[in-house]
Amino acid sequence: YNANIFTQAVALSKRQAAILWGDKFGIVSRYLSIIIQALIYGSVFYQLPLTSAGGYGRGGALFSAIIQNSLVAQAALPAAFYGRRVLQKQKSYAMYHPASLHVAQILTDIPITLLQVTLFS
């Protein structure tokens, strides 16, 4: 490899951001569905009693919030498997190190995931 891992990660982060920015419909539809699901979950668990009778409902609210965020994260798996063939070709051509690609994917997914969790909260 001609460049160090940091330089490769920066270049791949720019490429990954451009790929994500090119799929505006996917991003907008994901955020809209999260907002709709947050409103539905919020209406189900709205005004729980402050006594011990509301404890079970609060546990359900926390569990459903964790499950919802986990299921949203599972939706990103096909995209990760789709990029494996490209990664194998780039590795065979000695273009990019696989670790730098994974670091770039993580760096570009962090702001998107933070916004998703914030919208759902």
Side-chain angles (χ1 to χ4, degrees):
Y1 303 104
N2 293 331
N4 62 9
I5 294 214
F6 179 75
T7 308
Q8 291 178 13
V10 169
L12 288 171
S13 293
K14 290 178 184 176
R15 185 181 78 177
Q16 189 70 21
I19 290 171
L20 289 174
W21 186 251
D23 186 22
K24 291 177 187 165
F25 176 75
I27 292 173
V28 170
S29 64
R30 184 183 323 168
Y31 290 155
L32 283 176
S33 70
I34 286 173
I35 290 171
I36 291 168
Q37 290 171 6
L39 291 173
I40 291 170
Y41 280 125
S43 66
V44 168
F45 297 109
Y46 184 67
Q47 288 187 343
L48 289 173
L50 296 176
T51 62
S52 61
Y56 186 74
R58 292 184 203 294
L62 288 172
F63 179 74
S64 64
I66 291 170
I67 289 294
Q68 197 275 339
N69 284 321
S70 300
L71 292 176
V72 169
Q74 291 293 324
L77 283 178
F81 285 115
Y82 178 73
R84 288 191 95 152
R85 297 171 87 189
V86 175
L87 173 65
Q88 290 173 349
K89 280 189 177 184
Q90 289 176 347
K91 182 182 176 188
S92 68
Y93 297 148
M95 290 176 66
Y96 296 111
H97 197 276
S100 61
L101 178 65
H102 294 300
V103 167
Q105 286 176 340
I106 290 170
L107 289 177
T108 54
D109 283 343
I110 286 174
I112 292 172
T113 306
L114 284 176
L115 185 59
Q116 287 176 357
V117 171
T118 304
L119 286 175
F120 188 76
S121 298

